[in-house]
Amino acid sequence: MKPNPLRLKLEAGETIYGTMSQDSRSPSISLIMEQAGCDFMFFDMEHGPNDIGVVTDMVKVARGTKVVPLVRVPDDLYHLMARVLDAGAMGIMVPRVETREQVERIIENTHYPPMGVRGCSVPKGHNDFIPQNVWEFTEQANREPMIILQIEREKAIENIDELLSVDGVDACVLGPVDLSLSMGIREKNVLSALEPSIQTVLDSAKKHKVPCGIHIGNLDWLIEWGKRGMQIICYSNDIVFLRNGATTGISKLREAAQKNTK
């Protein structure tokens, strides 16, 4: 099994940068984002149209690039997490985590014995279909893939120390949109209103030595939280990139055409 480059960078105190693919079903997106300089990419199964077949193909191509493939699973059910790891995802992000019991179940279902109860099939996408001794493989597979908690509920903020103290949790990433909905925050400047809660998570993550990150499209805030010590910087998504790129170009073309007609 390949060493996980994200683990190595995070353990060295480095910051990692990436994005999320929410709507693209083309495996080529990893090749494109490699050119953009991404360290990682989340393939979204919670809000995106991606089933296990699509994600398997996306992950397979990404494993041949410098972009580490991560998957946001739709829920913490065994078959949703284990199959994605079998496909070769080098980490999963589990949404809507709230309690220690939930985290313990996630860790149990994503690890092989003696750490957990995950069923084993060795030559799959997770080790590029290479035959391997089962004991050597399971030891590596319990170490390399990252289990990431998505913090996006008020209850998760209240329980954050309990969540991050569970052995096997490798990182946490804040989801500001769902967090603001959960907390009933309606202020125009939502990010400023969320600042104390986000800082609470970051402080807890530092205490428990768990890398912390945030997924948002606001560059100023990503830069700010990077300065404060967040190591996982996840910027925007494929939908926004496509729309913004097209909008910029088409707007300039229309403006130029209008000037030529005057």
Side-chain angles (χ1 to χ4, degrees):
M1 176 173 281
K2 294 179 180 179
N4 192 326
L6 298 186
R7 279 190 175 280
L8 298 175
K9 290 180 179 180
L10 292 171
E11 289 171 2
E14 297 179 30
T15 301
I16 57 175
Y17 301 90
T19 187
M20 179 176 284
S21 174
Q22 285 198 312
D23 203 65
S24 173
R25 295 165 64 88
S26 171
S28 302
I29 193 167
S30 295
L31 299 167
I32 297 168
M33 290 305 163
E34 181 180 39
Q35 296 175 50
C38 287
D39 296 308
F40 67 88
M41 174 173 287
F42 284 108
F43 297 109
D44 189 16
M45 294 183 75
E46 183 186 17
H47 299 301
N50 303 314
D51 58 22
I52 186 64
V54 170
V55 164
T56 296
D57 290 341
M58 305 276 265
V59 165
K60 193 182 302 179
V61 172
R63 287 176 67 90
T65 73
K66 295 179 181 178
V67 179
V68 174
L70 307 174
V71 175
R72 177 164 69 179
V73 295
D75 210 341
D76 63 355
L77 300 175
Y78 174 87
H79 70 286
L80 297 175
M81 298 185 293
R83 291 187 74 193
V84 165
L85 292 172
D86 281 356
M90 300 181 80
I92 61 170
M93 182 163 68
V94 185
R96 304 182 309 282
V97 176
E98 295 185 327
T99 68
R100 182 182 179 88
E101 292 74 21
Q102 184 182 5
V103 176
E104 289 174 343
R105 186 172 67 251
I106 291 167
I107 299 304
E108 183 179 49
N109 286 335
T110 54
H111 289 78
Y112 297 109
M115 287 186 65
V117 298
R118 181 181 168 193
C120 184
S121 179
V122 178
K124 291 289 184 293
H126 45 205
N127 71 338
D128 301 308
F129 301 94
I130 298 171
Q132 191 175 356
N133 173 273
V134 65
W135 297 106
E136 176 189 45
F137 167 75
T138 53
E139 182 179 341
Q140 292 176 344
N142 278 348
R143 182 180 65 243
E144 296 299 339
M146 294 179 62
I147 307 303
I148 305 167
L149 308 182
Q150 187 161 31
I151 307 302
E152 52 183 352
R153 291 289 189 271
E154 184 174 20
K155 190 173 181 180
I157 304 297
E158 296 169 357
N159 295 334
I160 193 63
D161 278 328
E162 292 187 17
L163 304 185
L164 300 187
S165 65
V166 177
D167 186 33
V169 172
D170 297 304
C172 65
V173 172
L174 282 131
V177 174
D178 275 305
L179 182 58
S180 66
L181 289 171
S182 173
M183 298 178 70
I185 294 175
R186 296 175 177 270
E187 283 85 346
K188 185 175 181 180
N189 193 342
V190 171
L191 291 177
S192 292
L194 286 175
E195 183 175 358
S197 296
I198 297 174
Q199 188 64 55
T200 295
V201 174
L202 179 56
D203 290 343
S204 178
K206 288 180 178 179
K207 180 172 69 173
H208 294 286
K209 295 181 171 55
V210 173
C212 182
I214 189 168
H215 177 208
I216 197 170
N218 187 308
L219 284 171
D220 291 335
W221 270 71
L222 287 171
I223 292 169
E224 173 60 27
W225 285 107
K227 290 178 180 177
R228 296 192 192 189
M230 284 195 177
Q231 290 181 263
I232 305 170
I233 305 299
C234 189
Y235 173 49
S236 200
N237 60 64
D238 55 338
I239 299 171
V240 175
F241 293 150
L242 181 62
R243 182 182 63 236
N244 288 356
T247 298
T248 299
I250 296 298
S251 295
K252 287 185 177 180
L253 290 171
R254 290 187 183 279
E255 289 172 6
Q258 290 174 357
K259 289 178 182 178
N260 289 336
T261 58
K262 291 181 180 179

Short mmCIF file of all heavy atoms in Angstrom, two decimals, residues 27-71:
data_model
loop_
_atom_site.label_atom_id
_atom_site.label_comp_id
_atom_site.label_asym_id
_atom_site.label_seq_id
_atom_site.Cartn_x
_atom_site.Cartn_y
_atom_site.Cartn_z
N PRO A 27 -13.11 11.46 -14.60
CA PRO A 27 -11.86 11.21 -13.87
C PRO A 27 -10.75 12.19 -14.26
O PRO A 27 -9.78 12.33 -13.52
CB PRO A 27 -11.50 9.78 -14.29
CG PRO A 27 -12.79 9.16 -14.68
CD PRO A 27 -13.58 10.27 -15.33
N SER A 28 -10.91 12.88 -15.38
CA SER A 28 -9.89 13.83 -15.83
C SER A 28 -9.71 14.99 -14.87
O SER A 28 -8.69 15.69 -14.91
CB SER A 28 -10.26 14.38 -17.21
OG SER A 28 -10.41 13.35 -18.16
N ILE A 29 -10.67 15.21 -13.98
CA ILE A 29 -10.60 16.38 -13.11
C ILE A 29 -9.37 16.32 -12.21
O ILE A 29 -8.79 17.35 -11.87
CB ILE A 29 -11.89 16.55 -12.28
CG1 ILE A 29 -11.91 17.94 -11.63
CG2 ILE A 29 -12.04 15.43 -11.24
CD1 ILE A 29 -13.25 18.33 -11.07
N SER A 30 -8.92 15.12 -11.85
CA SER A 30 -7.72 15.01 -11.02
C SER A 30 -6.48 15.47 -11.79
O SER A 30 -5.59 16.11 -11.22
CB SER A 30 -7.51 13.57 -10.56
OG SER A 30 -8.56 13.16 -9.71
N LEU A 31 -6.42 15.16 -13.06
CA LEU A 31 -5.30 15.61 -13.90
C LEU A 31 -5.29 17.12 -14.02
O LEU A 31 -4.23 17.76 -14.01
CB LEU A 31 -5.40 14.96 -15.28
CG LEU A 31 -5.35 13.43 -15.29
CD1 LEU A 31 -5.76 12.90 -16.67
CD2 LEU A 31 -3.96 12.94 -14.94
N ILE A 32 -6.48 17.70 -14.14
CA ILE A 32 -6.60 19.16 -14.24
C ILE A 32 -6.20 19.82 -12.92
O ILE A 32 -5.45 20.81 -12.90
CB ILE A 32 -8.03 19.56 -14.63
CG1 ILE A 32 -8.36 19.01 -16.03
CG2 ILE A 32 -8.21 21.07 -14.59
CD1 ILE A 32 -9.83 19.09 -16.39
N MET A 33 -6.69 19.29 -11.80
CA MET A 33 -6.38 19.87 -10.51
C MET A 33 -4.93 19.64 -10.09
O MET A 33 -4.38 20.40 -9.30
CB MET A 33 -7.35 19.34 -9.44
CG MET A 33 -8.76 19.86 -9.63
SD MET A 33 -8.81 21.68 -9.68
CE MET A 33 -10.43 21.95 -10.42
N GLU A 34 -4.31 18.62 -10.65
CA GLU A 34 -2.87 18.44 -10.43
C GLU A 34 -2.11 19.62 -11.03
O GLU A 34 -1.19 20.16 -10.42
CB GLU A 34 -2.41 17.13 -11.07
CG GLU A 34 -0.92 16.86 -10.87
CD GLU A 34 -0.49 15.55 -11.51
OE1 GLU A 34 -0.99 15.24 -12.63
OE2 GLU A 34 0.33 14.84 -10.92
N GLN A 35 -2.54 20.05 -12.23
CA GLN A 35 -1.91 21.21 -12.87
C GLN A 35 -2.16 22.48 -12.07
O GLN A 35 -1.34 23.40 -12.08
CB GLN A 35 -2.46 21.37 -14.28
CG GLN A 35 -2.12 20.22 -15.22
CD GLN A 35 -2.79 20.38 -16.57
OE1 GLN A 35 -2.72 21.43 -17.19
NE2 GLN A 35 -3.46 19.32 -17.03
N ALA A 36 -3.30 22.53 -11.36
CA ALA A 36 -3.63 23.70 -10.55
C ALA A 36 -2.83 23.74 -9.25
O ALA A 36 -2.83 24.76 -8.55
CB ALA A 36 -5.13 23.72 -10.24
N GLY A 37 -2.17 22.63 -8.91
CA GLY A 37 -1.34 22.61 -7.71
C GLY A 37 -2.00 22.04 -6.48
O GLY A 37 -1.50 22.22 -5.36
N CYS A 38 -3.12 21.33 -6.65
CA CYS A 38 -3.82 20.76 -5.50
C CYS A 38 -3.04 19.59 -4.89
O CYS A 38 -2.49 18.76 -5.61
CB CYS A 38 -5.21 20.26 -5.91
SG CYS A 38 -6.40 21.57 -6.25
N ASP A 39 -3.04 19.53 -3.58
CA ASP A 39 -2.48 18.38 -2.87
C ASP A 39 -3.51 17.27 -2.73
O ASP A 39 -3.14 16.10 -2.62
CB ASP A 39 -2.03 18.79 -1.46
CG ASP A 39 -0.91 19.79 -1.48
OD1 ASP A 39 0.10 19.54 -2.16
OD2 ASP A 39 -1.03 20.84 -0.80
N PHE A 40 -4.78 17.64 -2.68
CA PHE A 40 -5.84 16.65 -2.47
C PHE A 40 -7.13 17.11 -3.13
O PHE A 40 -7.28 18.28 -3.50
CB PHE A 40 -6.09 16.42 -0.97
CG PHE A 40 -6.68 17.63 -0.26
CD1 PHE A 40 -8.05 17.83 -0.21
CD2 PHE A 40 -5.85 18.56 0.35
CE1 PHE A 40 -8.59 18.94 0.43
CE2 PHE A 40 -6.36 19.68 0.99
CZ PHE A 40 -7.75 19.86 1.03
N MET A 41 -8.05 16.17 -3.26
CA MET A 41 -9.39 16.49 -3.75
C MET A 41 -10.40 15.59 -3.04
O MET A 41 -10.19 14.39 -2.92
CB MET A 41 -9.49 16.31 -5.26
CG MET A 41 -10.91 16.51 -5.79
SD MET A 41 -10.98 16.51 -7.58
CE MET A 41 -10.24 18.09 -7.91
N PHE A 42 -11.48 16.22 -2.58
CA PHE A 42 -12.60 15.46 -2.06
C PHE A 42 -13.56 15.15 -3.20
O PHE A 42 -13.97 16.05 -3.94
CB PHE A 42 -13.37 16.26 -1.00
CG PHE A 42 -12.71 16.33 0.34
CD1 PHE A 42 -12.13 17.51 0.77
CD2 PHE A 42 -12.67 15.22 1.17
CE1 PHE A 42 -11.54 17.60 2.02
CE2 PHE A 42 -12.08 15.29 2.42
CZ PHE A 42 -11.50 16.48 2.85
N PHE A 43 -13.92 13.89 -3.37
CA PHE A 43 -15.00 13.51 -4.28
C PHE A 43 -16.25 13.37 -3.43
O PHE A 43 -16.29 12.58 -2.48
CB PHE A 43 -14.66 12.22 -5.01
CG PHE A 43 -13.43 12.34 -5.88
CD1 PHE A 43 -12.25 11.71 -5.54
CD2 PHE A 43 -13.46 13.12 -7.03
CE1 PHE A 43 -11.12 11.83 -6.33
CE2 PHE A 43 -12.33 13.26 -7.83
CZ PHE A 43 -11.16 12.62 -7.47
N ASP A 44 -17.28 14.14 -3.79
CA ASP A 44 -18.45 14.28 -2.92
C ASP A 44 -19.54 13.28 -3.24
O ASP A 44 -20.14 13.32 -4.32
CB ASP A 44 -18.98 15.71 -3.03
CG ASP A 44 -20.04 16.01 -2.00
OD1 ASP A 44 -20.15 15.25 -1.03
OD2 ASP A 44 -20.75 17.02 -2.14
N MET A 45 -19.82 12.41 -2.29
CA MET A 45 -20.94 11.47 -2.42
C MET A 45 -22.15 11.89 -1.59
O MET A 45 -23.19 11.25 -1.66
CB MET A 45 -20.50 10.06 -2.00
CG MET A 45 -19.45 9.44 -2.90
SD MET A 45 -19.01 7.75 -2.42
CE MET A 45 -20.46 6.84 -3.01
N GLU A 46 -21.99 12.95 -0.80
CA GLU A 46 -23.12 13.42 0.01
C GLU A 46 -24.07 14.27 -0.82
O GLU A 46 -25.29 14.06 -0.82
CB GLU A 46 -22.63 14.22 1.22
CG GLU A 46 -23.80 14.65 2.12
CD GLU A 46 -23.39 15.58 3.25
OE1 GLU A 46 -22.29 16.17 3.19
OE2 GLU A 46 -24.20 15.73 4.18
N HIS A 47 -23.54 15.25 -1.52
CA HIS A 47 -24.38 16.16 -2.30
C HIS A 47 -24.16 16.01 -3.81
O HIS A 47 -24.90 16.61 -4.60
CB HIS A 47 -24.10 17.62 -1.90
CG HIS A 47 -24.40 17.91 -0.47
ND1 HIS A 47 -25.65 17.75 0.08
CD2 HIS A 47 -23.61 18.36 0.53
CE1 HIS A 47 -25.63 18.09 1.36
NE2 HIS A 47 -24.39 18.46 1.66
N GLY A 48 -23.17 15.26 -4.21
CA GLY A 48 -22.89 15.09 -5.64
C GLY A 48 -23.60 13.88 -6.22
O GLY A 48 -24.16 13.05 -5.50
N PRO A 49 -23.55 13.72 -7.55
CA PRO A 49 -24.24 12.62 -8.24
C PRO A 49 -23.39 11.36 -8.34
O PRO A 49 -23.63 10.51 -9.19
CB PRO A 49 -24.48 13.22 -9.64
CG PRO A 49 -23.28 14.09 -9.86
CD PRO A 49 -22.95 14.68 -8.51
N ASN A 50 -22.40 11.24 -7.46
CA ASN A 50 -21.41 10.17 -7.59
C ASN A 50 -21.81 8.91 -6.83
O ASN A 50 -21.91 8.93 -5.60
CB ASN A 50 -20.05 10.65 -7.08
CG ASN A 50 -19.58 11.88 -7.81
OD1 ASN A 50 -19.63 11.95 -9.04
ND2 ASN A 50 -19.11 12.87 -7.07
N ASP A 51 -22.00 7.80 -7.55
CA ASP A 51 -22.21 6.52 -6.89
C ASP A 51 -20.86 5.82 -6.76
O ASP A 51 -19.82 6.35 -7.15
CB ASP A 51 -23.22 5.66 -7.66
CG ASP A 51 -22.81 5.40 -9.10
OD1 ASP A 51 -21.60 5.48 -9.42
OD2 ASP A 51 -23.70 5.10 -9.93
N ILE A 52 -20.85 4.60 -6.22
CA ILE A 52 -19.59 3.92 -5.96
C ILE A 52 -18.82 3.63 -7.25
O ILE A 52 -17.59 3.67 -7.27
CB ILE A 52 -19.83 2.62 -5.15
CG1 ILE A 52 -18.49 1.98 -4.73
CG2 ILE A 52 -20.68 1.64 -5.94
CD1 ILE A 52 -17.67 2.82 -3.79
N GLY A 53 -19.53 3.36 -8.35
CA GLY A 53 -18.85 3.11 -9.61
C GLY A 53 -18.11 4.32 -10.12
O GLY A 53 -16.95 4.23 -10.55
N VAL A 54 -18.77 5.47 -10.07
CA VAL A 54 -18.14 6.72 -10.52
C VAL A 54 -16.94 7.06 -9.63
O VAL A 54 -15.85 7.39 -10.12
CB VAL A 54 -19.16 7.88 -10.51
CG1 VAL A 54 -18.46 9.21 -10.73
CG2 VAL A 54 -20.23 7.66 -11.57
N VAL A 55 -17.15 6.98 -8.33
CA VAL A 55 -16.08 7.33 -7.40
C VAL A 55 -14.88 6.39 -7.56
O VAL A 55 -13.73 6.83 -7.49
CB VAL A 55 -16.61 7.30 -5.95
CG1 VAL A 55 -15.46 7.28 -4.95
CG2 VAL A 55 -17.48 8.52 -5.69
N THR A 56 -15.14 5.11 -7.80
CA THR A 56 -14.05 4.16 -8.01
C THR A 56 -13.17 4.59 -9.18
O THR A 56 -11.93 4.56 -9.10
CB THR A 56 -14.60 2.75 -8.25
OG1 THR A 56 -15.29 2.30 -7.09
CG2 THR A 56 -13.49 1.76 -8.59
N ASP A 57 -13.79 5.00 -10.29
CA ASP A 57 -13.03 5.44 -11.45
C ASP A 57 -12.27 6.75 -11.16
O ASP A 57 -11.12 6.93 -11.59
CB ASP A 57 -13.95 5.63 -12.65
CG ASP A 57 -14.48 4.31 -13.20
OD1 ASP A 57 -13.88 3.26 -12.91
OD2 ASP A 57 -15.50 4.33 -13.93
N MET A 58 -12.93 7.66 -10.45
CA MET A 58 -12.29 8.95 -10.12
C MET A 58 -11.07 8.73 -9.23
O MET A 58 -10.01 9.31 -9.45
CB MET A 58 -13.30 9.85 -9.41
CG MET A 58 -14.61 10.09 -10.14
SD MET A 58 -14.52 11.41 -11.35
CE MET A 58 -15.11 12.78 -10.41
N VAL A 59 -11.24 7.87 -8.24
CA VAL A 59 -10.16 7.59 -7.30
C VAL A 59 -9.00 6.89 -8.00
O VAL A 59 -7.83 7.20 -7.77
CB VAL A 59 -10.69 6.74 -6.13
CG1 VAL A 59 -9.53 6.13 -5.34
CG2 VAL A 59 -11.57 7.58 -5.22
N LYS A 60 -9.32 5.96 -8.88
CA LYS A 60 -8.30 5.17 -9.57
C LYS A 60 -7.36 6.08 -10.38
O LYS A 60 -6.14 5.91 -10.36
CB LYS A 60 -8.96 4.16 -10.49
CG LYS A 60 -8.04 3.09 -11.04
CD LYS A 60 -8.79 2.16 -11.99
CE LYS A 60 -9.97 1.50 -11.31
NZ LYS A 60 -10.73 0.60 -12.22
N VAL A 61 -7.94 7.05 -11.08
CA VAL A 61 -7.12 7.99 -11.87
C VAL A 61 -6.32 8.91 -10.94
O VAL A 61 -5.13 9.16 -11.17
CB VAL A 61 -8.00 8.81 -12.83
CG1 VAL A 61 -7.20 9.92 -13.49
CG2 VAL A 61 -8.62 7.90 -13.89
N ALA A 62 -6.97 9.40 -9.89
CA ALA A 62 -6.29 10.31 -8.97
C ALA A 62 -5.08 9.68 -8.32
O ALA A 62 -4.07 10.35 -8.08
CB ALA A 62 -7.27 10.79 -7.89
N ARG A 63 -5.15 8.38 -8.06
CA ARG A 63 -4.02 7.69 -7.42
C ARG A 63 -2.76 7.71 -8.30
O ARG A 63 -1.66 7.51 -7.80
CB ARG A 63 -4.40 6.25 -7.09
CG ARG A 63 -5.35 6.13 -5.90
CD ARG A 63 -5.77 4.67 -5.68
NE ARG A 63 -4.64 3.84 -5.26
CZ ARG A 63 -4.28 3.63 -4.00
NH1 ARG A 63 -4.96 4.20 -3.02
NH2 ARG A 63 -3.25 2.85 -3.71
N GLY A 64 -2.92 7.96 -9.58
CA GLY A 64 -1.78 8.06 -10.48
C GLY A 64 -1.27 9.48 -10.64
O GLY A 64 -0.37 9.72 -11.45
N THR A 65 -1.85 10.42 -9.90
CA THR A 65 -1.42 11.81 -9.94
C THR A 65 -0.84 12.22 -8.59
O THR A 65 -0.75 11.41 -7.67
CB THR A 65 -2.60 12.74 -10.27
OG1 THR A 65 -3.47 12.84 -9.13
CG2 THR A 65 -3.39 12.23 -11.47
N LYS A 66 -0.51 13.50 -8.46
CA LYS A 66 -0.05 14.03 -7.18
C LYS A 66 -1.21 14.49 -6.31
O LYS A 66 -1.00 14.98 -5.19
CB LYS A 66 0.90 15.20 -7.41
CG LYS A 66 2.21 14.81 -8.11
CD LYS A 66 3.09 16.03 -8.34
CE LYS A 66 4.38 15.63 -9.07
NZ LYS A 66 5.24 16.82 -9.33
N VAL A 67 -2.44 14.34 -6.81
CA VAL A 67 -3.63 14.75 -6.07
C VAL A 67 -4.14 13.55 -5.27
O VAL A 67 -4.59 12.55 -5.83
CB VAL A 67 -4.73 15.25 -7.02
CG1 VAL A 67 -5.98 15.66 -6.23
CG2 VAL A 67 -4.23 16.42 -7.85
N VAL A 68 -4.08 13.64 -3.96
CA VAL A 68 -4.50 12.53 -3.10
C VAL A 68 -6.03 12.46 -3.09
O VAL A 68 -6.70 13.45 -2.76
CB VAL A 68 -3.97 12.72 -1.68
CG1 VAL A 68 -4.52 11.64 -0.75
CG2 VAL A 68 -2.45 12.68 -1.67
N PRO A 69 -6.61 11.31 -3.45
CA PRO A 69 -8.06 11.19 -3.50
C PRO A 69 -8.68 10.92 -2.13
O PRO A 69 -8.37 9.94 -1.46
CB PRO A 69 -8.28 9.98 -4.43
CG PRO A 69 -7.06 9.13 -4.24
CD PRO A 69 -5.93 10.08 -3.94
N LEU A 70 -9.57 11.84 -1.74
CA LEU A 70 -10.36 11.71 -0.53
C LEU A 70 -11.83 11.68 -0.95
O LEU A 70 -12.18 12.23 -1.98
CB LEU A 70 -10.11 12.89 0.42
CG LEU A 70 -8.65 13.20 0.77
CD1 LEU A 70 -8.57 14.48 1.59
CD2 LEU A 70 -8.02 12.04 1.53
N VAL A 71 -12.66 11.07 -0.15
CA VAL A 71 -14.09 10.99 -0.48
C VAL A 71 -14.92 11.45 0.71
O VAL A 71 -14.68 11.00 1.85
CB VAL A 71 -14.50 9.54 -0.86
CG1 VAL A 71 -16.01 9.46 -1.08
CG2 VAL A 71 -13.76 9.10 -2.12
#
